[in-house]
């Protein structure tokens, strides 16, 4: 019997993965520069510092590297505060879970303040007893720690909890730790769809039928 649920945020609850591909270009447009086509692919493998150095040299910016980094981070913050949309079906699904008395927690690699602001703006903050972040627990989602901390908060065993994830590696982490898993489609990880369908207990295009997930055992 399912006694709790843990939700990833970016790509699962929020249609927000685009900011991680577009932050550099958005920053450049904000300061009046025209970003090159495919900039996201150039910046993706770089660290924040490496990316700042690249755009400083490529676009002849006079700003110091730390100012560029801050500008990009501010761009990401503003996206969550004012733009990031909730995915189709999420609000109704969360309402259904709450109606059935299933306690919920969020587990995210994003900044707490960003997620809290987005949740409040979108009217879904009241569904989650607690938000857990990778930074605060001290490990990313290749470790099960964030799920284990959330399970302890939910006062349930992994076998009594379902984890909702859009990223294959995170879903596999939860699965290996003994949690039930639901793979959620996201356009930014569409290439993982076939493997997600194989690995997840349930795979969905959108979050819809609550009772389907509560039948996991």
């Amino acid at each position: 019997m399912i006694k709790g649920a843990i939700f990833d945020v970016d790509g699962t609850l929020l249609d927000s993965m685009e900011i991680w591909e577009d932050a550099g270009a958005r920053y450049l447009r904000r300061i009046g520069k025209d970003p090159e086509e495919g900039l996201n692919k150039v910046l993706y493998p770089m660290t924040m510092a490496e990316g700042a150095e690249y755009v400083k040299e490529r676009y002849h910016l006079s700003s110091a590297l730390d100012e560029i980094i801050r500008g990009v981070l501010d761009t990401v913050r503003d996206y969550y505060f004012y733009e990031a949309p909730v995915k189709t079906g999420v609000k109704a699904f969360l309402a259904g879970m709450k109606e059935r008395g299933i306690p919920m927690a969020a587990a995210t690699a994003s900044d707490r303040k960003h997620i809290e602001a987005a949740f409040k703006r979108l009217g879904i903050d009241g569904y989650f007893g607690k938000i857990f972040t990778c930074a605060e627990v001290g490990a990313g989602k290749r470790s099960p720690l964030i799920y284990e901390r959330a399970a302890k908060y939910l006062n349930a065993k992994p076998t009594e909890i379902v984890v909702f994830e859009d990223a294959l590696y995170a879903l596999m982490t939860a699965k290996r730790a003994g949690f039930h898993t639901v793979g959620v489609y996201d356009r930014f990880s569409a290439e993982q769809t076939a493997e997600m369908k194989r690995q997840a207990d349930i795979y969905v295009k959108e979050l819809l039928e609550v009772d389907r997930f509560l039948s996991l055992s």
Side-chain angles (χ1 to χ4, degrees), residues 11-53:
T12 299
L13 297 175
L14 305 184
D15 189 8
S16 52
M17 291 304 295
E18 69 176 80
I19 190 58
W20 299 106
E21 292 202 356
D22 197 39
R26 282 180 176 235
Y27 165 71
L28 287 169
R29 286 192 288 267
R30 285 176 69 168
I31 62 173
K33 299 291 184 178
D34 186 21
E36 66 203 83
E37 185 175 349
L39 177 63
N40 63 310
K41 292 182 174 61
V42 175
L43 296 179
Y44 180 76
M46 298 183 183
T47 65
M48 187 69 76
E50 290 169 341
E53 187 171 358

Side-chain angles (χ1 to χ4, degrees), residues 22-194:
D22 197 39
R26 282 180 176 235
Y27 165 71
L28 287 169
R29 286 192 288 267
R30 285 176 69 168
I31 62 173
K33 299 291 184 178
D34 186 21
E36 66 203 83
E37 185 175 349
L39 177 63
N40 63 310
K41 292 182 174 61
V42 175
L43 296 179
Y44 180 76
M46 298 183 183
T47 65
M48 187 69 76
E50 290 169 341
E53 187 171 358
Y54 173 83
V55 298
K56 179 178 175 65
E57 295 180 1
R58 173 70 174 79
Y59 295 93
H60 310 291
L61 306 183
S62 59
S63 302
L65 292 179
D66 61 344
E67 292 177 300
I68 295 171
I69 292 172
R70 174 48 54 192
V72 173
L73 292 176
D74 286 348
T75 299
V76 173
R77 177 203 63 202
D78 289 350
Y79 177 79
Y80 282 98
F81 273 58
Y82 307 114
E83 293 184 51
V86 68
K87 294 184 79 172
T88 302
V90 164
K91 286 187 176 182
F93 184 82
L94 295 177
M97 293 287 279
K98 184 175 182 179
E99 182 180 335
R100 288 160 177 77
I102 304 301
M104 295 173 278
T108 180
S110 290
D111 183 270
R112 168 178 293 282
K113 291 182 180 179
H114 296 174
I115 300 307
E116 288 177 340
F119 278 11
K120 184 175 182 179
R121 173 174 55 81
L122 294 165
I124 61 173
D125 52 318
Y127 293 117
F128 300 96
K130 190 169 183 177
I131 296 172
F132 292 83
T133 73
C134 291
E136 290 169 354
V137 303
K141 290 186 177 180
R142 296 193 185 280
S143 161
L145 184 58
I146 193 168
Y147 305 116
E148 291 168 349
R149 293 281 178 83
K152 184 176 181 180
Y153 167 78
L154 294 170
N155 194 31
K157 301 174 184 177
T159 54
E160 299 171 326
I161 295 174
V162 58
V163 173
F164 295 79
E165 280 282 357
D166 70 298
L168 177 61
Y169 82 94
L171 182 137
M172 292 301 298
T173 297
K175 181 177 180 178
R176 287 191 294 268
F179 293 87
H180 296 289
T181 57
V182 174
V184 181
Y185 171 83
D186 187 68
R187 57 199 169 102
F188 288 95
S189 55
E191 74 282 355
Q192 300 177 346
T193 298

